[in-house]
Amino acid sequence: MRMFATGLLLAMAVAFVALRKLAGLHPAWAPALDWAIAFTEAAMVGGLADWFAVTALFRRPLGLPIPHTAIIPENKDRIADSMATFLRENFLTPQVVARRINAFNFAAAAGGFLSDPGRVGQSRIRAGAANLIADVLESLDPDRLGNQVRAGLARQLERVEVAPLLGQMLSAMIADRRHLPLVEGAVRWAGEALEANEDMVRAMIRERAHSLLRLTGLDSRIASSVLDGLYKLLAEMIVQPDHPLKLKVEQMLEGLAERLVNDPETRARVENAKRDLIANPAVGQWWQSVWERLRRKLVDAARNPDAVLAGQLTTMLGELGTALQDDPRLQAQINRFARRTLVGVTARYGEEIVGLVSGTVKRWDASTISNRLEGAVGRDLQFIRINGTLVGGLFGVCIHAIDRLL
């Protein structure tokens, strides 16, 4: 555009010289050519005037120290302060921000974006979140992170007295009869263990039997009777809900729950056992191995775009978007939070934001600010030069017509 505007100005100058030469060679043509000469002459004046005005904004025309030229470089600090004031008064006041965003539904817009699985942006969000998780897990020292997590868990466990919690959980299980499957499972496990070690039980009974019983062969019958009795007892405990031994076990559990909550001695023993368990090096090594396996699985899942983690992130984002679109109460809460946050940020950091703008502009050198502003509005300024050339020529024709009339 600069070359076009300059070329148009040069074309007017060449046309002016050519027309003057033609008027001198052929006087008869002079009255007719006077109109064209008036156009080109005024066009040159208008084009030169606008060239000077546009150039004077950014630099000194022809490098001459003419007053009131290079306006932007010479006044960049004042321009920076004016820009900051304009931003602060028209955009970054709490009242303006609140008024502008009051009618905007942040939650619905975000919900529409997240609930559309075909959006490229959503897949980028999903991939970015997965890669961020993987990068964080890989950048951290595994041993140090595992030790920190373990130390944090240990500190939390040390602060919590587990005995009353265990007692309350046990009492709730008994009240809801949820302990019965555990008791029945223990009985079945005892039956399977007895069956698996039946020969050992028989051998123990024979060893403890009297020699006379062994000579008469009664030891084998006694062992079979004992085993049959134990099998029968375990079967009855499973089948009969109110079996006396099962009730006895239930009473023992109720007593244990009561002692865990109210008995200081029992609570102290549980706390000592908890501290010993936490301080056990074997527990620390076990946790370290568990954490490392978990960390590696998370990294592999995050790095694999087709893994379950990516699908779960997609599902989670879609469900969040649907909820934001369909739940008016959630929308109201999110929008209220967004408005309060933006207004609060504006009130608290508005001065810092405009200060950042003005400070950045002030730190630019003269050539930088000239080049950036000229790059932003230079095309329109060259249109001004073109318009000045053409409009100047039209006014020259008008002035020539008035002159002829007078």
Side-chain angles (χ1 to χ4, degrees), residues 76 129 240 297 333 364:
K76 67 182 184 69
Q240 298 178 10
K297 287 184 178 296
Q333 293 176 354
W364 289 345

Side-chain angles (χ1 to χ4, degrees), residues 196-270:
N197 298 278
E198 186 173 320
D199 293 338
M200 183 182 67
V201 174
R202 289 180 182 276
M204 291 174 59
I205 294 175
R206 292 193 190 100
E207 290 176 0
R208 287 165 174 76
H210 195 272
S211 58
L212 182 61
L213 294 176
R214 289 198 295 270
L215 289 174
T216 57
L218 293 175
D219 57 336
S220 298
R221 296 179 62 184
I222 292 174
S224 298
S225 299
V226 171
L227 288 171
D228 291 342
L230 290 175
Y231 284 133
K232 182 180 179 182
L233 175 63
L234 295 175
E236 290 175 350
M237 289 183 66
I238 294 175
V239 174
Q240 298 178 10
D242 55 349
H243 191 276
L245 190 55
K246 187 183 290 185
L247 296 177
K248 186 65 175 178
V249 173
E250 186 172 319
Q251 291 176 0
M252 292 173 57
L253 292 176
E254 290 176 349
L256 176 61
E258 194 276 334
R259 289 194 302 274
L260 287 172
V261 176
N262 299 316
D263 184 22
E265 185 177 353
T266 303
R267 292 169 61 173
R269 286 200 299 268
V270 172

Side-chain angles (χ1 to χ4, degrees), residues 108-129:
F113 178 82
L114 295 176
S115 61
D116 186 359
R119 284 183 180 268
V120 177
Q122 181 180 343
S123 62
R124 290 179 178 176
I125 292 174
R126 182 191 67 192

Side-chain angles (χ1 to χ4, degrees), residues 3 22 47 86 96 112 128 150-151 154 191 267 275 291 315 370 379:
M3 292 175 62
L22 289 174
F86 177 78
V96 172
R150 184 183 63 187
R267 292 169 61 173
R275 284 190 288 268
W291 167 252
T315 303
S370 297
R379 184 178 180 87

Side-chain angles (χ1 to χ4, degrees), residues 56-292:
L57 287 174
F58 303 102
R59 60 189 61 84
R60 298 190 183 279
L62 303 178
L64 300 175
I66 302 174
H68 301 293
T69 57
I71 296 173
I72 291 176
E74 293 294 330
N75 298 276
K76 67 182 184 69
D77 291 347
R78 182 164 57 85
I79 294 173
D81 293 334
S82 299
M83 291 172 60
T85 302
F86 177 78
L87 287 175
R88 183 174 59 250
E89 294 179 352
N90 295 277
F91 294 97
L92 295 179
T93 62
Q95 296 80 8
V96 172
V97 173
R99 185 172 62 252
R100 293 292 179 91
I101 67 176
N102 187 48
F104 186 71
N105 193 335
F106 290 94
F113 178 82
L114 295 176
S115 61
D116 186 359
R119 284 183 180 268
V120 177
Q122 181 180 343
S123 62
R124 290 179 178 176
I125 292 174
R126 182 191 67 192
N131 288 329
L132 177 61
I133 293 173
D135 291 339
V136 170
L137 291 174
E138 286 184 338
S139 63
L140 298 175
D141 185 358
D143 295 334
R144 183 176 181 182
L145 180 60
N147 291 332
Q148 289 177 346
V149 174
R150 184 183 63 187
L153 291 175
R155 285 194 297 270
Q156 295 300 322
L157 288 175
E158 288 176 356
R159 296 173 183 174
V160 177
E161 189 176 1
V162 297
L165 294 177
L166 293 176
Q168 293 171 3
M169 291 172 58
L170 187 55
S171 297
M173 289 178 61
I174 295 172
D176 296 337
R177 313 302 292 172
R178 286 179 293 174
H179 70 293
L180 294 179
L182 298 178
V183 175
E184 293 176 358
V187 173
R188 288 192 176 91
W189 174 84
E192 293 172 356
L194 182 61
E195 183 179 2
N197 298 278
E198 186 173 320
D199 293 338
M200 183 182 67
V201 174
R202 289 180 182 276
M204 291 174 59
I205 294 175
R206 292 193 190 100
E207 290 176 0
R208 287 165 174 76
H210 195 272
S211 58
L212 182 61
L213 294 176
R214 289 198 295 270
L215 289 174
T216 57
L218 293 175
D219 57 336
S220 298
R221 296 179 62 184
I222 292 174
S224 298
S225 299
V226 171
L227 288 171
D228 291 342
L230 290 175
Y231 284 133
K232 182 180 179 182
L233 175 63
L234 295 175
E236 290 175 350
M237 289 183 66
I238 294 175
V239 174
Q240 298 178 10
D242 55 349
H243 191 276
L245 190 55
K246 187 183 290 185
L247 296 177
K248 186 65 175 178
V249 173
E250 186 172 319
Q251 291 176 0
M252 292 173 57
L253 292 176
E254 290 176 349
L256 176 61
E258 194 276 334
R259 289 194 302 274
L260 287 172
V261 176
N262 299 316
D263 184 22
E265 185 177 353
T266 303
R267 292 169 61 173
R269 286 200 299 268
V270 172
E271 287 300 306
N272 291 333
K274 180 194 73 174
R275 284 190 288 268
D276 293 340
L277 183 65
I278 293 174
N280 193 326
V283 175
Q285 294 176 359
W286 170 80
W287 164 252
Q288 193 71 26
S289 63
V290 171
W291 167 252
E292 181 59 21

